[in-house]
Amino acid sequence: MEAGMVLRPPSGGVFRFDPGTLWLDLLVSGGPGELSVFETLHAPADLAAWAALSRLRLDPAQVRVSQGELAAGKRLRDGLWELARALIHHDPVRPELTSLVDEAAAPPSLAPRLRGAPGGFRREWTLPATGTQLLSSVARDVIDVLSGPHADRVRECGGHRCGLVFLDTSRPGSRRWCAMQRCGNRSKVRALRERRAPDAR
């Protein structure tokens, strides 16, 4: 299955975006403040639907989410936006944010299981699952990433007014765009127009 999530922004167009890791997948669901225009988590079933679109690819009918778990998911997501921005701008991370992650990671997470596949094995998840297990997996992913070799590779797309955040797992660490087909191509077109513009002198 092709990596990434299919996004349909309010500005139009459709493109595939791979945030690079589970916890940054969650940021695509919306956020606080000016990000509220992108909010998709309005009801408990919406968090289950996000789990189906994320790299977990869970069956949403098998994810039970309560109203309280939805609220906890939005609190975690909004805190992760602040955490991501702090990492991008090399700002101090408030202790409250690490406590938020620790609290979400404390309960049991989704349980993986091994299944045979053509030419080898694949990982599946034990279902049904709860919203608490789902959020624990997201929080544990934060811990894994920020204590691992790519901790300094949380990046913001370089596109004009984009703002999407991803983990750069490329070998050279040179990823700049949310997606080449979107912001990468737009940047190339903008640069070409600037080169072709008549000299203002």
Side-chain angles (χ1 to χ4, degrees):
M1 184 177 293
E2 190 176 356
M5 311 171 80
V6 175
L7 302 188
R8 295 173 174 82
S11 57
V14 178
F15 68 100
R16 184 172 291 276
F17 168 54
D18 183 8
T21 194
L22 178 61
W23 72 276
L24 296 180
D25 281 357
L26 184 58
L27 302 194
V28 173
S29 69
E34 72 278 5
L35 296 170
S36 61
V37 68
F38 302 107
E39 184 62 69
T40 61
L41 303 182
H42 304 288
D46 296 331
L47 185 58
W50 168 81
L53 297 174
S54 76
R55 65 194 58 243
L56 293 172
R57 301 292 194 257
L58 300 183
D59 177 357
Q62 294 292 308
V63 181
R64 302 187 299 264
V65 180
S66 69
Q67 195 69 44
E69 289 169 329
L70 173 65
K74 293 174 76 169
R75 282 195 302 272
L76 178 62
R77 181 201 62 196
D78 293 355
L80 294 181
W81 266 114
E82 183 181 343
L83 174 61
R85 286 169 169 164
L87 295 170
I88 290 165
H89 298 293
H90 307 288
D91 294 332
V93 174
R94 294 190 302 116
E96 292 84 355
L97 295 180
T98 55
S99 295
L100 179 67
V101 172
D102 291 344
E103 181 181 343
S109 62
L110 296 169
R113 57 183 182 177
L114 191 64
R115 288 292 178 267
F121 297 91
R122 70 177 185 274
R123 180 178 60 183
E124 291 184 354
W125 302 101
T126 301
L127 297 173
T130 66
T132 297
Q133 287 178 288
L134 176 60
L135 298 179
S136 178
S137 292
V138 171
R140 292 181 187 206
D141 184 60
V142 177
I143 295 170
D144 287 345
V145 169
L146 299 190
S147 61
H150 294 134
D152 61 347
R153 288 201 185 180
V154 177
R155 308 272 166 79
E156 185 176 49
C157 177
H160 180 61
R161 299 180 63 185
C162 177
L164 286 172
V165 175
F166 57 85
L167 184 69
D168 182 4
T169 57
S170 65
R171 186 181 297 272
S174 58
R175 181 178 170 186
R176 296 179 59 194
W177 317 112
C178 60
M180 194 64 204
Q181 71 186 90
R182 184 175 186 253
C183 287
N185 287 340
R186 288 178 179 178
S187 179
K188 287 184 175 182
V189 170
R190 187 177 297 111
L192 180 61
R193 287 175 178 168
E194 290 174 355
R195 288 195 300 270
R196 289 179 175 177
D199 195 322
R201 289 175 299 174

